[in-house]
Amino acid sequence: GHPTWGYRLLTKVICRDLKVTVNRKKIRRMMRDMGIYTIYPKPNLSKRYHAKYKRPYLLRNLNITHPDQVWGIDITYIRMNKGFMYLIAIIDLHTRMVLNWEVSNSMNAEWCAKMLEETIEKYGKPEIFNTDQGSQYTSNVHIKVLKDNGIKISMDGKGRAIDNIFIERLWRSVKYENVYLQAYEDGISLHNGMKKYFDFYNNERFHQSLNYQTPSEMYHQNEAA
């Protein structure tokens, strides 16, 4: 096999060797249906952290019982026809509510800090904010926003967060329920698609773990009480 071959190259090889006419979209669709994905270098989302600002992990054995107790933030990448885009989201861990999100073709500490400030302005602040040790979270500008708001800082162990299962489940849902099905061509279409998806995810998608409520219902239920 040739795990680094993409659907464009495979289409040409199939047309040449099998003497059949088939278009690239059909090959790409067949690859998705069979769970075949090209192996390619992925963007590094966990660049070396600033050791000075490293913080302990506070969620181990913590019973998360109510909204705004713990927020988590994470970044994933979305593969585009040319290159990739970053997708960042802030989620309330108790209710799975996606409080804020954004897509960008670059990633830096200022961008993450500004997004955090916007989320605090709209929803108030959590007791604990959990991240991995990526440089954008361990930078002074990001730590300052948390300190200024009196928020406890929690950080996963070195490398990609594997025990932050809620965010990992969110990325899996986003990609398998939307991104892989849509094949976005550019940043604008990706942004519009994510806007529709997160509106659906928060307000219409029932979660078995939330007793078949939506994240929005779960997040706002105390306000209505």
Side-chain angles (χ1 to χ4, degrees):
H2 298 274
T4 59
W5 284 12
Y7 67 92
R8 293 181 180 85
L9 181 54
L10 280 174
T11 303
K12 291 181 179 179
V13 171
I14 289 171
C15 290
R16 183 196 67 190
D17 293 354
L18 300 182
K19 303 295 189 293
V20 295
T21 302
V22 61
N23 63 40
R24 294 187 304 186
K25 287 186 178 178
K26 185 170 185 179
I27 294 297
R28 182 169 61 181
R29 187 169 63 249
M30 290 171 65
M31 288 175 68
R32 285 206 189 108
D33 291 344
M34 292 185 288
I36 299 171
Y37 297 98
T38 310
I39 296 174
Y40 48 79
K42 299 178 180 179
N44 182 4
L45 302 186
S46 297
K47 293 179 181 177
R48 186 174 179 81
Y49 57 85
H50 302 275
K52 176 182 176 183
Y53 296 109
K54 180 183 173 184
R55 295 293 188 276
Y57 181 60
L58 304 180
L59 306 191
R60 188 166 289 109
N61 301 322
L62 177 69
N63 190 17
I64 302 175
T65 59
H66 55 275
D68 299 327
Q69 180 183 0
V70 182
W71 291 359
I73 188 172
D74 197 19
I75 296 171
T76 190
Y77 70 94
I78 306 295
R79 184 74 178 178
M80 310 294 286
N81 263 0
K82 295 181 179 178
F84 56 88
M85 298 283 287
Y86 292 110
L87 171 61
I88 184 173
I90 295 177
I91 182 174
D92 177 75
L93 296 196
H94 177 64
T95 65
R96 317 293 196 271
M97 175 85 166
V98 177
L99 303 172
N100 204 353
W101 62 274
E102 191 53 82
V103 294
S104 176
N105 58 6
S106 62
M107 176 180 63
N108 57 52
E110 288 74 18
W111 177 47
C112 294
K114 183 174 182 294
M115 185 177 171
L116 174 57
E117 287 178 326
E118 291 172 353
T119 312
I120 291 171
E121 286 174 12
K122 185 173 182 179
Y123 292 100
K125 61 186 182 180
E127 298 165 32
I128 300 172
F129 194 75
N130 189 68
T131 74
D132 64 23
Q133 294 180 17
S135 60
Q136 63 275 5
Y137 308 129
T138 55
S139 65
N140 182 51
V141 64
H142 197 268
I143 294 291
K144 187 176 186 300
V145 174
L146 295 167
K147 280 187 169 182
D148 288 351
N149 285 279
I151 299 168
K152 294 178 183 176
I153 305 166
S154 171
M155 291 184 181
D156 294 308
K158 187 177 180 181
R160 296 290 294 139
I162 57 172
D163 38 3
N164 193 350
I165 192 65
F166 302 125
I167 294 265
E168 296 300 326
R169 285 175 181 166
L170 172 64
W171 292 149
R172 188 173 61 199
S173 298
V174 168
K175 292 181 179 181
Y176 280 91
E177 294 178 9
N178 186 276
V179 173
Y180 293 154
L181 304 177
Q182 300 297 330
Y184 293 110
E185 299 289 332
D186 54 50
I188 294 174
S189 63
L190 174 62
H191 185 277
N192 292 338
M194 290 297 92
K195 188 175 188 301
K196 290 180 182 177
Y197 180 78
F198 284 124
D199 182 61
F200 162 77
Y201 182 90
N202 281 334
N203 300 300
E204 297 180 42
R205 188 181 187 277
F206 297 110
H207 289 243
Q208 184 178 359
S209 58
L210 301 180
N211 197 23
Y212 295 99
Q213 296 183 87
T214 67
S216 182
E217 286 172 337
M218 189 82 168
Y219 185 81
H220 294 293
Q221 68 181 5
N222 289 347
E223 300 172 6

